[in-house]
């Protein structure tokens, strides 16, 4: 704990004099060192005590297990809603849908693709979306991040 002005100045001076290496260690090494430090191994190459990074196990459930858990926790209405979204033939428009088929015969793919923002906030996308819905034009949806939400996918450029 920095209690005096002198302690604060000494700490700041120490931070300013620390030199960064010309070349950072590989990302894998940095990650292993962070895990060792967090698990009580002290970081670096020698670290004693604590759990080793090699013994860490992934305890997260698989996607299949999560899907099964969602299905068992869902109501009949929620399951029907998801099926309608996947089919592309839901009664109402929804920003979660990845396609809208309307009266398109089964087996045919929509000829039009609507590129829209992921959050469904873009007013220009919304205007096009409303026209497609009103005219019942079958379309597929590709969602793209706006710049403020992150990088655009590689296929966009």
């Amino acid at each position: 704990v920095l209690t005096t002005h002198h302690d604060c100045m000494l700490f700041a001076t120490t931070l300013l004099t620390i030199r960064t290496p010309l070349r950072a260690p590989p990302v894998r090494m940095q990650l292993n060192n962070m895990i060792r430090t967090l698990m009580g191994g002290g970081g670096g190459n020698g670290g004693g005590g604590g759990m080793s990074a090699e013994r860490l196990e992934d305890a997260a459930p698989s996607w299949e297990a999560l899907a099964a858990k969602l299905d068992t926790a869902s109501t009949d209405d929620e399951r029907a809603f998801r099926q309608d979204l996947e089919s592309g033939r839901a009664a109402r428009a929804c920003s979660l849908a990845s396609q809208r088929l309307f009266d398109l015969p089964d087996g045919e793919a929509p000829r039009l693709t609507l590129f829209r923002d992921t959050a469904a906030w873009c007013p220009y996308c919304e205007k096009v979306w409303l026209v497609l819905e009103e005219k019942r034009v079958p379309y597929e949806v590709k969602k793209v991040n706006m710049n403020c939400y992150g990088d655009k996918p590689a296929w966009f450029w």
Side-chain angles (χ1 to χ4, degrees):
V1 176
L2 305 175
T3 56
T4 66
H5 176 73
H6 177 71
D7 289 341
C8 291
M9 291 302 292
L10 183 62
F11 180 71
T13 305
T14 305
L15 283 179
L16 291 175
T17 58
I18 294 174
R19 295 188 179 190
T20 57
L22 294 176
R23 185 174 157 179
V27 174
R28 182 180 172 105
M29 186 182 298
Q30 291 174 7
L31 182 59
N32 284 340
N33 287 341
M34 287 189 315
I35 291 172
R36 282 191 196 103
T37 301
L38 290 172
M39 300 307 281
N45 293 331
M51 180 186 285
S52 71
E54 290 77 25
R55 290 190 297 159
L56 291 177
E57 291 183 27
D58 183 6
S62 67
W63 287 111
E64 293 80 18
L66 287 172
K69 190 173 184 177
L70 174 66
D71 194 48
T72 58
S74 297
T75 65
D76 291 338
D77 289 339
E78 290 169 334
R79 281 190 211 98
F81 173 75
R82 283 196 298 274
Q83 287 173 349
D84 282 348
L85 278 181
E86 290 175 19
S87 73
R89 299 189 190 280
R92 295 183 312 229
C94 179
S95 63
L96 301 173
S98 60
Q99 64 178 355
R100 291 284 280 161
L101 301 178
F102 298 110
D103 300 323
L104 191 67
D106 289 336
E108 282 191 40
R111 294 174 44 196
L112 187 108
T113 301
L114 171 63
F115 293 92
R116 61 173 306 164
D117 63 302
T118 306
W121 290 357
C122 175
Y124 307 107
C125 296
E126 188 174 304
K127 289 175 185 177
V128 173
W129 184 31
L130 288 171
V131 170
L132 292 173
E133 287 292 321
E134 184 64 27
K135 298 291 184 177
R136 298 180 54 84
V137 175
Y139 62 94
E140 176 184 8
V141 178
K142 295 277 187 187
K143 295 181 181 175
V144 180
N145 282 335
M146 294 173 66
N147 287 334
C148 59
Y149 294 127
D151 295 332
K152 297 194 182 313
W155 57 259
F156 184 79
W157 303 108

